[in-house]
Amino acid sequence: MFNWIEYLVFGTMLLLSLLIGVYFGWIKKQDTVAEYLLGGKKMGVFPVTISLVASHISGITLLGVPSEVYAYGTQYVAIFITIVCVYLIIYYLYLPVFFHLQLNSAYEYLELRFSKGTRTLGSLIFSISLIIFIPIVIYVPALAFNQVTGVSVHLISLITSLICIFYTLFGGLKAVVWTDTLQGMFTLTAMSLILILGYLKIGSFHEIWRINQEGSRLELFNLNPSPLERNTIWTVSIGSTFAWLSSIGIHPGALQRFIAVATLKEAKRVIAWGCVGFAVVQALTIPMGLLLYAYYHDCDPLATKMIRKTSQILPYYVMDVARDFPGLTGLFISGVLSAALSTMSAGLNTVAGTLYEDFVQFVLKGEKLSEASQSLILKVIVLVLGLLCVALVFIVEKLGALFQMAISLQGISTGALLGLFSLGLLFPRANAKGAVAGALSSLLGMAVIIVGAQWYIMEKQLRFPGKVTSVDGCPEDLIASLGFNASANAQTWTGLGTPVEADDSVPIIFKISYMYYCMVGTLIVIVVGLLVSYLTTPQDLLSLDPNLFSPPVRRFLPQRRRETVKPAKEEYTLVNTDPAGKDGQYVHESQNIGA
């Protein structure tokens, strides 16, 4: 499918990303750690917002959500409830605390609130989880590229990852943010054009709606309360709220962007417009799933084995309908790859900062390094992590369904991390022993549940068949050439929701919906954390800074501590602290910084 026009479009995106890295790496040098990790804390709302959206909307979303709707129906639409809930919770409970503290590492909060050991544990959990997640992000566009060009998955993974490592390595956060902005435009344009083209090809939205209704795809109010149901309005809206809070509310990459702007007002605008951006992306990907089913409702490419996984259905569709539109396939692959590069670059930059602030600085034990030495250490970390993630792609390709797999693997750590921060922000009596005990219990418990479930899935003892599909409309010559009974591979379920098929040997705990993994992990931290805190020595509230708690919680603090709460810092200015002007700190405009 790729001719010179497709390669030109694809190459243009990669070249522009490289040039941004060159610009911020050599022309607008990021000479200090603050500039490399936080962009000087004077970035604009628009690029930071686009970067926030792009870095959290990966190819997993672009390919996974349409295939999810195609196979399992529209219950995922309840994600819009999640977006509203996440915005309100971050706006009122999380953002005021983290913006006020202005921490280079989000996990420094855990040290201020609990202990150094808690900070180290949190940083370690986050770093390992992101190193596991990034290879999935790399694999997605590589698989799509392989599908339309035949180029090896491993070769394209290596090439694109090296480009991403390059501009992240040399350009720092500014390069990451501006490449995210560029790549976000590619992604949005590609998805919009393909959606418009597809709807024109079908004829009308009414026709698409009719076909999906007849195929039992249209559902929203599946009110079944069972946690064993794969997707219901409860699993999607409640379960996704916890998962999104973990990936946006307390994620170091998101917090890094919130404090990359100058004022709290601008940070609030970033999260507000960010949620609008998330909604726009979902508004593109969910109808794409309806479009896919309308197009393939009577000739399922999975049943005919034209594709191996449902996550391949969107690239397959683009190949099918874009033949008469030169450059469109290249734009689509560029869009999917852009989303992956945005997530990967943001992840590498964030993990590098976390490892540097929470581990390298600890090893140095306060030894003062030059800015050049600190910058070099950060770049070495980015390079090593990037190459490690590329190597892990070999493992990812052996795993199962894309969307469910990604959320499942994240569930091992996201619940523990969200629980740690929520325990600190919302429960004043929680202490360090409780936090560590809760986090470890969550990690162990969720690892058992998720790894066990993935094992049974790979062994075909736990299955998630989708809604009804058909091959009745396939061309006769295609059916004749298959050499097997394609109709036997088609699905037959037409009821509400979708069934979960499990052998009798599968324990009930492994049947819990993957959407609830983060919520369960979070609740384990909070329950165990509070229990251990009260059984040991509850936190002395008079010894803690009230600014470490969410604003609504501060009213429950002792009166003497409530009176010491400082107003939220609205604006920060870089102030030189040495005659040469090479070192500095960010201070509130009202602070008296002395000579």
Side-chain angles (χ1 to χ4, degrees), residues 285-423:
T285 53
I286 293 173
M288 189 74 75
L290 297 177
L291 176 62
L292 291 175
Y293 181 72
Y295 193 80
Y296 292 118
H297 69 283
D298 59 354
C299 188
D300 178 33
L302 194 62
T304 58
K305 297 187 179 180
M306 294 294 101
I307 59 176
R308 293 181 290 111
K309 300 178 180 180
T310 54
S311 56
Q312 293 179 303
I313 192 169
L314 183 54
Y316 181 77
Y317 170 78
V318 173
M319 292 167 59
D320 211 0
V321 302
R323 300 178 188 275
D324 300 326
F325 299 87
L328 185 58
T329 303
L331 182 62
F332 168 74
I333 295 299
S334 298
V336 175
L337 182 67
S338 293
L341 290 178
S342 298
T343 303
M344 181 181 182
S345 61
L348 291 177
N349 184 266
T350 303
V351 174
T354 300
L355 292 177
Y356 177 80
E357 292 288 341
D358 298 338
F359 292 98
V360 175
Q361 292 282 44
F362 176 75
V363 173
L364 294 175
K365 297 179 180 178
E367 180 182 347
K368 183 65 175 179
L369 297 178
S370 65
E371 287 289 351
S373 297
Q374 295 178 62
S375 179
L376 177 61
I377 293 173
L378 282 168
K379 291 174 181 178
V380 170
I381 294 174
V382 169
L383 178 61
V384 172
L385 290 177
L387 295 177
L388 175 61
C389 290
V390 175
L392 290 175
V393 171
F394 287 87
I395 298 176
V396 170
E397 67 177 341
K398 304 297 182 183
L399 302 178
L402 176 70
F403 190 71
Q404 181 170 339
M405 174 192 65
I407 293 180
S408 298
L409 291 179
Q410 281 186 298
I412 296 177
S413 59
T414 53
L417 293 174
L418 180 60
L420 268 178
F421 281 97
S422 299
L423 193 67

Side-chain angles (χ1 to χ4, degrees), residues 84-328:
V84 175
C85 293
V86 166
Y87 166 73
L88 294 174
I89 293 172
I90 294 176
Y91 189 94
Y92 289 107
L93 298 183
Y94 292 10
L95 182 59
V97 176
F98 291 116
F99 190 87
H100 177 89
L101 294 174
Q102 291 285 301
L103 305 174
N104 284 342
S105 168
Y107 295 98
E108 188 179 345
Y109 170 83
L110 298 179
E111 180 178 1
L112 296 174
R113 175 63 178 85
F114 295 118
S115 66
K116 175 65 179 178
T118 311
R119 173 182 180 176
T120 301
L121 176 62
S123 299
L124 187 62
I125 294 172
F126 168 74
S127 300
I128 293 175
S129 67
L130 207 57
I131 291 171
I132 292 174
F133 181 66
I134 289 176
I136 304 175
V137 171
I138 300 172
Y139 176 69
V140 170
L143 185 64
F145 194 87
N146 165 263
Q147 201 170 345
V148 299
T149 66
V151 177
S152 166
V153 169
H154 303 129
L155 178 60
I156 193 61
S157 296
L158 178 62
I159 294 173
T160 55
S161 297
L162 288 177
I163 292 173
C164 181
I165 292 169
F166 173 84
Y167 68 73
T168 307
L169 187 70
F170 294 103
L173 182 66
K174 285 186 177 179
V176 170
V177 167
W178 282 108
T179 50
D180 283 354
T181 303
L182 166 72
Q183 293 159 0
M185 295 299 101
F186 267 87
T187 302
L188 186 63
T189 302
M191 296 299 288
S192 298
L193 287 178
I194 291 168
L195 195 60
I196 292 171
L197 175 63
Y199 274 72
L200 291 176
K201 199 170 186 68
I202 296 296
S204 69
F205 179 77
H206 179 269
E207 180 66 9
I208 293 174
W209 188 268
R210 181 191 65 79
I211 294 173
N212 276 272
Q213 189 171 37
E214 291 178 356
S216 304
R217 289 307 190 276
L218 304 181
E219 65 177 53
L220 175 59
F221 297 104
N222 181 355
L223 300 177
N224 190 330
S226 172
L228 306 183
E229 287 288 311
R230 186 179 182 279
N231 273 356
T232 67
I233 194 170
W234 310 116
T235 62
V236 176
S237 59
I238 298 175
S240 295
T241 295
F242 281 82
W244 279 47
L245 281 176
S246 181
S247 65
I248 303 173
I250 56 96
H251 191 285
L255 299 181
Q256 191 180 38
R257 284 155 178 75
F258 294 150
I259 65 175
V261 294
T263 68
L264 178 60
K265 182 178 180 180
E266 289 181 339
K268 290 181 175 180
R269 286 168 59 193
V270 168
I271 184 58
W273 285 110
C275 286
V276 172
F278 293 132
V280 169
V281 172
Q282 300 297 336
L284 288 173
T285 53
I286 293 173
M288 189 74 75
L290 297 177
L291 176 62
L292 291 175
Y293 181 72
Y295 193 80
Y296 292 118
H297 69 283
D298 59 354
C299 188
D300 178 33
L302 194 62
T304 58
K305 297 187 179 180
M306 294 294 101
I307 59 176
R308 293 181 290 111
K309 300 178 180 180
T310 54
S311 56
Q312 293 179 303
I313 192 169
L314 183 54
Y316 181 77
Y317 170 78
V318 173
M319 292 167 59
D320 211 0
V321 302
R323 300 178 188 275
D324 300 326
F325 299 87
L328 185 58

